[in-house]
Amino acid sequence: MAFQRSHRLNLLRLVVLLLVALAGIKFLFRDSFTLELHKHVSKDSEFWGDAGDTGQDTGPQSQALEVPVAKITAPRQEAGQQVPKDVSATEMRLVHLDLKGAAPRVSYLEQVFPLLSQLGANGILIEYEDMFPFKGELEILRSPYAYSEEDVERIQQLAELHKLEVVPLVQTFGHVEFILKHEKYQHLREVERFPNSFNPHLPDTLALLKSILSQVMEKHRRSTWIHIGADEVFHLGEGMDSKNWMSRNKGDTGTMYLNHIKEVLGFIAAQYWGLRALMWDDMLRKISVGALRESGIAKHVSPVVWFYAPDFEAEQIGPFLAKYAESGFEAVWFASAFKGTTGPAQSWPPLSYHLKNHLSWLKVMQALPRLAPLRCQGIVLTGWQRYDHYSVLCELLPVGIPSLAVCLQTLVNGGFTEETKRKVLDALGFQSMQLEQSTCEGRGAFPGAEIYHMVEQVNGHLKESILKALEEESAIKGWFSPYHRKRQFGNPRNLESFGSKVLKLHEDWESFVHDLRAHLERVYFPDTVEEWLEENINPYLDQLRDLVRDYRAIIRLNARPKVM
């Protein structure tokens, strides 16, 4: 009897030990097991949960957000092969590199990354668009000047060297003009006439996105975050497929939007264990709390609340934050702007405007505990290079660096004091700075300082000097009008009264543009150089070039009769 009792006790102890061990394993790897299960569960089998359980564990200190996030090495690997990397306690400051226009050469990024780190950035958000080296079926999406695979790897090496987290941004719903402009993918448009947004009802849409995301993540094995864009999904609900869906399902555009986002996030969660997702929040602002909670996306993505106005109060952002907290989100990001938000053709960033935007965001961060039970994970300093794929270029990156420096240091120091200003000036190699005039005095010692000064000359003097010569010179208006030039009719005596001045002005500006082109070519690819010169130089200099051409032609005619 004693032996049997002892045997039973030993068996009981063994069972208890096994249960404890299993519980420990489940605790350590519960996220991995959950995500592995997701691969085998369809969206129709409550993969996203229902309205009744989305409200659980929504506090700012939820354990789900405290689990160390593994470093991603796409494609999917076993959890045991990955090295934990916990950056959840670090507020991140990402500098946005918008590559859908004026993508810098890698050699220029090599010079800029140390400065970004010095100024207080700890990450970069890279919006590749057509600059990514897509291959195979996706090769058609590549720009002729797209980065090579070696370039993408070099960018990440440089970022890692300077302690900058790399977060790739892949647009997955709107702003996909670079994809849908191609005939091959036109059938995926929400509205046939417009290339802005995907039709979310076609299976080929998700299949294409999976291919794009897979190729991008394959080349970003170090990244622990991905941004899925999803902002400004213009014309959603206007396509015939969407109208039919809403009619059949008694649904709305918000539900339709969330269904597509769930598909995208589901793919990411299933394929890339631990990879955390971000998305722009503007489309979420229009969707009800009930729909957001029912979708369950709060468990899989953090909204990036963007607002670019110079002066706003924390209370203006508060309703959005309260809504997201109520919808189940536990953390948010914010997005400011250091350039690219004050006009589609803006070529010079207004310093005071962007500084005020960041001061306003500091007030929001300070007020966050009383506005909503959310945790701020970071802020993206956006630097838009185009408003969309079809628009002209905004401010070039070298021109925007002083603004970026002011904005980063404002965030780092919690405000913009004289001491902060001195740090910015020292970092950039300037002697002084006039915020309201958006000017900096001194030679400058940052990468691209020559371009900064030369663009300043273009903005301040090119147009003014040429228009003054053409419109205010009385001799030109009196003896070399469009009528005279068209009929090749002129007296050398009158022409020579203004000729030397005009020829000198033309010579000076042509020499200046020659030097500017050389500096631009060191930073940018040929397509950017040509576009910027064509948009910012040629509209004015071409007028002077035409006048000089006609002047030389007519003065050689030696006062002949007019051509009728």
Side-chain angles (χ1 to χ4, degrees):
M1 290 291 293
F3 173 78
Q4 291 178 346
R5 187 182 302 111
S6 175
H7 184 63
R8 284 199 296 271
L9 286 173
N10 287 336
L11 284 174
L12 182 61
R13 290 192 186 99
L14 181 61
V15 169
V16 170
L17 286 172
L18 285 171
L19 288 173
V20 170
L22 286 171
I25 292 171
K26 182 178 181 181
F27 176 80
L28 288 172
F29 298 105
R30 65 189 184 280
D31 286 340
S32 178
F33 292 157
T34 301
L35 290 173
E36 185 63 35
L37 180 63
H38 288 173
K39 293 176 67 177
H40 307 289
V41 182
S42 73
K43 64 182 178 68
D44 296 315
S45 57
E46 298 187 346
F47 168 85
W48 294 97
D50 55 37
D53 60 272
T54 53
Q56 298 176 358
D57 300 324
T58 58
Q61 301 301 323
S62 169
Q63 196 174 34
L65 282 179
E66 298 303 322
V67 177
V69 175
K71 192 170 184 177
I72 303 306
T73 52
R76 183 184 177 88
Q77 296 185 7
E78 294 299 322
Q81 296 177 301
Q82 306 202 1
V83 180
K85 178 180 180 181
D86 187 4
V87 295
S88 60
T90 303
E91 184 178 295
M92 298 184 70
R93 292 180 289 272
L94 304 183
V95 174
H96 175 222
L97 297 178
D98 179 16
L99 305 184
K100 63 175 168 281
R105 296 180 185 271
V106 176
S107 57
Y108 181 69
L109 296 178
E110 186 172 1
Q111 302 172 57
V112 169
F113 281 5
L115 178 61
L116 299 185
S117 183
Q118 177 190 348
L119 290 170
N122 52 20
I124 51 173
L125 177 67
I126 305 183
E127 185 166 355
Y128 285 102
E129 207 183 70
D130 60 1
M131 285 300 293
F132 187 80
F134 292 108
K135 57 187 178 181
E137 286 293 314
L138 303 180
E139 189 171 356
I140 191 175
L141 303 180
R142 294 175 58 159
S143 160
Y145 297 99
Y147 293 140
S148 66
E149 293 184 8
E150 292 74 21
D151 289 335
V152 172
E153 175 61 23
R154 180 60 177 156
I155 289 171
Q156 292 176 91
Q157 290 174 351
L158 292 168
E160 190 170 25
L161 178 64
H162 299 290
K163 297 179 173 56
L164 298 170
E165 178 93 4
V166 175
V167 180
L169 189 155
V170 178
Q171 284 287 4
T172 56
F173 211 161
H175 284 297
V176 286
E177 299 94 339
F178 82 102
I179 300 171
L180 299 183
K181 70 179 182 181
H182 295 286
E183 185 178 357
K184 179 178 181 179
Y185 298 118
Q186 283 184 6
H187 68 288
L188 300 181
R189 295 179 179 184
E190 167 68 355
V191 175
E192 185 180 358
R193 292 180 56 227
F194 308 133
N196 302 76
S197 308
F198 277 124
N199 177 341
H201 308 286
L202 297 176
D204 285 354
T205 293
L206 189 61
L208 174 61
L209 283 173
K210 287 179 178 180
S211 296
I212 291 173
L213 288 165
S214 296
Q215 289 200 17
V216 171
M217 289 314 304
E218 180 186 350
K219 299 303 176 186
H220 290 82
R221 297 172 180 269
R222 302 171 179 82
S223 294
T224 58
W225 297 86
I226 185 171
H227 196 309
I228 64 168
D231 58 319
E232 297 181 330
V233 186
F234 298 133
H235 308 292
L236 180 62
E238 296 178 17
M240 189 54 63
D241 287 344
S242 290
K243 290 178 180 178
N244 291 337
W245 183 92
M246 288 189 288
S247 176
R248 287 195 308 270
N249 296 278
K250 297 181 180 179
D252 55 27
T253 54
T255 303
M256 198 159 51
Y257 174 83
L258 290 173
N259 286 344
H260 179 73
I261 297 303
K262 288 191 296 186
E263 295 276 10
V264 172
L265 293 174
F267 171 74
I268 292 171
Q271 294 299 313
Y272 307 104
W273 177 74
L275 182 63
R276 295 181 285 185
L278 303 174
M279 66 181 291
W280 302 120
D281 85 304
D282 53 288
M283 297 295 291
L284 302 180
R285 299 175 195 176
K286 310 170 188 176
I287 301 175
S288 69
V289 169
L292 287 170
R293 289 177 66 86
E294 185 175 357
S295 74
I297 68 167
K299 298 176 182 178
H300 301 275
V301 68
S302 296
V304 183
V305 184
W306 59 270
F307 208 65
Y308 305 143
D311 294 300
F312 61 91
E313 298 300 324
E315 284 67 27
Q316 291 175 256
I317 307 297
F320 301 138
L321 301 179
K323 174 181 179 177
Y324 297 149
E326 189 179 352
S327 300
F329 293 99
E330 296 175 334
V332 293
W333 286 59
F334 300 132
S336 58
F338 71 91
K339 76 178 188 74
T341 59
T342 55
Q346 185 79 17
S347 60
W348 195 258
L351 293 180
S352 178
Y353 184 102
H354 293 296
L355 169 59
K356 290 175 182 177
N357 176 247
H358 286 78
L359 291 173
S360 294
W361 274 117
L362 283 175
K363 289 189 292 185
V364 174
M365 293 175 191
Q366 186 178 15
L368 182 59
R370 66 176 172 80
L371 293 174
L374 292 167
R375 188 159 53 85
C376 175
Q377 290 179 310
I379 185 168
V380 178
L381 293 88
T382 63
W384 299 101
Q385 195 56 74
R386 295 190 197 276
Y387 273 33
D388 65 36
H389 186 76
Y390 286 88
S391 71
V392 297
L393 295 170
C394 302
E395 306 98 312
L396 296 175
L397 182 55
V399 174
I401 282 182
S403 176
L404 175 58
V406 167
C407 297
L408 268 172
Q409 279 292 290
T410 296
L411 294 176
V412 170
N413 293 285
F416 192 76
T417 63
E418 283 299 317
E419 182 181 356
T420 306
K421 183 177 180 180
R422 175 46 54 191
K423 290 179 181 178
V424 170
L425 293 173
D426 289 345
L428 300 180
F430 286 133
Q431 277 70 58
S432 62
M433 174 182 292
Q434 306 300 323
L435 291 173
E436 293 300 329
Q437 288 73 39
S438 300
T439 58
C440 300
E441 291 74 37
R443 183 175 180 180
F446 61 91
E450 302 88 354
I451 293 175
Y452 173 88
H453 285 302
M454 297 184 88
V455 171
E456 186 176 29
Q457 288 292 310
V458 170
N459 283 346
H461 302 292
L462 175 65
K463 179 179 178 180
E464 178 186 353
S465 65
I466 291 176
L467 292 183
K468 183 176 181 180
L470 298 183
E471 298 177 5
E472 297 182 17
E473 178 64 50
S474 61
I476 293 178
K477 296 179 72 173
W479 286 275
F480 204 58
S481 70
Y483 178 87
H484 291 88
R485 293 166 61 184
K486 183 178 180 180
R487 288 159 179 79
Q488 297 184 319
F489 184 59
N491 184 344
R493 178 181 179 277
N494 304 118
L495 271 56
E496 288 172 357
S497 67
F498 63 81
S500 59
K501 184 190 300 185
V502 167
L503 292 173
K504 180 66 165 61
L505 181 65
H506 174 251
E507 180 184 352
D508 289 347
W509 276 118
E510 290 289 10
S511 175
F512 174 88
V513 171
H514 179 271
D515 292 342
L516 173 58
R517 176 186 287 274
H519 285 294
L520 289 171
E521 287 174 345
R522 294 189 188 104
V523 174
Y524 294 111
F525 297 101
D527 59 335
T528 296
V529 176
E530 293 305 322
E531 180 180 355
W532 196 90
L533 294 177
E534 197 164 323
E535 290 286 349
N536 295 276
I537 300 289
N538 293 353
Y540 311 109
L541 191 51
D542 279 352
Q543 297 179 55
L544 185 58
R545 288 165 174 159
D546 291 345
L547 185 137
V548 167
R549 180 199 62 211
D550 291 347
Y551 171 87
R552 287 171 171 160
I554 293 173
I555 206 166
R556 285 197 299 267
L557 297 177
N558 200 22
R560 293 182 184 177
K562 71 177 69 171
V563 176
M564 297 302 291

